[in-house]
Amino acid sequence: NAGVTQTPKFRILKIGQSMTLQCTQDMNHNYMYWYRQDPGMGLKLIYYSVGAGITDKGEVPNGYNVSRSTTEDFPLRLELAAPSQTSVYFCASNRADTQYFGPGTRLTVL
Amino acid sequence: DAKTTQPNSMESNEEEPVHLPCNHSTISGTDYIHWYRQLPSQGPEYVIHGLTSNVNNRMASLAIAEDRKSSTLILHRATLRDAAVYYCILSVTTSGTYKYIFGTGTRLKVLA
């Protein structure tokens, strides 16, 4: 099993550009999550999904969108990137009280 | 949502036990207590979790206070590879959905 994979690993965006962060898991988990981690801080939940076709907002959803068309994939879309979205983004999936995290995407908005 | 409070940083000597405290005074009856750790430039990884009783696994032990308002992660013999940020997390179940509430974590430094 590859577990949770994320692409890209790094990205630099200009203000106002958009992009999609990809997340795929091969463990057939229904629950998936997107978090962001600002320097020196803990993780904050952006969006989560309890299964294909079902998504909901977390603590900090503004400026982001998600979709979940399959069990495996949970992409995060940034529209009109802003410097405040500079962060490390982690995707995770959940099974039986354990979350499995991807390696993260480091995003810089200039 | 219930929150956790942890010291910002702690130090330990190699091969000595480490006790990492966490306060969660507003925990609800159904909230589980989880511990994850994050090595530099990696995503968090699972360490241990529990509800009411103390728990042991190959990585660590979790001691939960009787009133559940605090818990302690115990690493029995710290190694240099245990240097990481340790997060005490409450899992909240609301309307059938399951979310984690992260605190700011404790940065553990292990001295050789």
Side-chain angles (χ1 to χ4, degrees):
Chain A
N1 281 352
V4 180
T5 57
Q6 294 182 238
T7 56
K9 284 187 168 50
F10 304 95
R11 183 73 184 267
I12 298 175
L13 283 181
K14 294 182 179 177
I15 294 172
Q17 287 184 322
S18 60
M19 75 164 293
T20 299
L21 283 67
Q22 300 292 345
C23 175
T24 300
Q25 53 95 5
D26 61 0
M27 297 173 282
N28 202 33
H29 293 167
N30 285 325
Y31 279 71
M32 294 187 74
Y33 306 81
W34 273 106
Y35 296 90
R36 60 176 286 172
Q37 184 175 34
D38 298 330
M41 305 296 288
L43 279 67
K44 291 190 185 296
L45 182 63
I46 305 172
Y47 270 94
Y48 65 98
S49 169
V50 301
I54 307 170
T55 63
D56 206 349
K57 297 177 181 178
E59 302 171 75
V60 289
N62 292 343
Y64 307 95
N65 279 300
V66 293
S67 59
R68 183 95 181 271
S69 57
T70 67
T71 299
E72 294 78 21
D73 300 307
F74 190 37
L76 178 71
R77 178 84 176 161
L78 277 73
E79 306 281 3
L80 298 174
S84 61
Q85 293 178 304
T86 293
S87 191
V88 181
Y89 291 83
F90 290 101
C91 179
S93 68
N94 191 85
R95 180 187 68 84
D97 296 325
T98 301
Q99 287 205 358
Y100 299 85
F101 287 82
T105 293
R106 185 175 296 274
L107 176 67
T108 302
V109 182
L110 300 173
Chain B
D1 284 335
K3 293 186 177 180
T4 62
T5 305
Q6 300 175 251
N8 285 336
S9 62
M10 293 183 65
E11 282 188 2
S12 173
N13 293 319
E14 197 176 11
E15 299 194 3
E16 289 187 356
V18 182
H19 290 232
L20 298 168
C22 180
N23 286 320
H24 29 77
S25 58
T26 58
I27 191 170
S28 299
T30 56
D31 293 347
Y32 277 77
I33 301 155
H34 300 254
W35 284 82
Y36 280 69
R37 71 180 187 181
Q38 187 174 24
L39 300 171
S41 301
Q42 294 188 25
E45 65 174 351
Y46 171 82
V47 177
I48 200 166
H49 79 283
L51 183 63
T52 56
S53 303
N54 295 344
V55 184
N56 300 296
N57 66 22
R58 62 175 180 82
M59 288 182 73
S61 295
L62 175 59
I64 301 173
E66 200 168 328
D67 63 5
R68 296 201 343 116
K69 293 186 177 183
S70 65
S71 61
T72 302
L73 177 71
I74 303 164
L75 306 179
H76 296 288
R77 287 179 69 239
T79 69
L80 296 178
R81 292 186 302 171
D82 291 324
V85 178
Y86 286 79
Y87 292 100
C88 172
I89 301 160
L90 300 182
S91 60
V92 177
T93 303
T94 307
S95 303
T97 61
Y98 184 84
K99 297 185 287 186
Y100 279 11
I101 307 297
F102 276 77
T104 53
T106 297
R107 183 173 299 277
L108 176 65
K109 186 175 181 180
V110 180
L111 306 175

